[in-house]
Amino acid sequence: MSVKTPIYLYLCLVNVYLFILMGIDARQAQKQKEKKASWRVPSWQFLTLGLAAGGLGGLLGTAVFDHKKDSKRTMFLFQLGGILAVIFFARAKGWL
């Protein structure tokens, strides 16, 4: 196992986790409108994961689930996290 493998694994896991979390919260938001849901995923979790290089998963989640698109703060942090993910990936590949 190379030293670079944990970086790739981390990027993959955090982005997949944020994507799944977006799907869960989108479903809960829909249920909440129907008065059948009692909980939602807190926004701080989206923002923290997005900033922790999970922005690509968050951006994909907003596109697929049509969720959290109106929140400027969330979209900004997802974009910033996406840039960080690309930088981390490029550093691990030796491109930077």
Side-chain angles (χ1 to χ4, degrees), residues 55 59 74-84:
L59 290 171
T74 302
M75 293 303 292
F76 173 75
L77 287 176
F78 284 173
Q79 291 169 358
L80 185 60
I83 291 168
L84 287 173

Side-chain angles (χ1 to χ4, degrees), residues 27-29 31-41:
R27 183 174 169 96
Q28 286 299 106
K31 283 184 178 181
Q32 193 173 41
K33 285 181 183 176
E34 300 167 359
K35 310 271 189 224
K36 295 180 183 178
S38 60
W39 62 272
R40 295 275 305 274
V41 177

Side-chain angles (χ1 to χ4, degrees), residues 58-79:
L59 290 171
L60 186 61
T62 61
V64 170
F65 302 115
D66 196 30
H67 188 58
K68 297 280 187 190
K69 282 186 176 180
D70 297 331
S71 173
K72 290 181 182 180
R73 179 177 57 175
T74 302
M75 293 303 292
F76 173 75
L77 287 176
F78 284 173
Q79 291 169 358

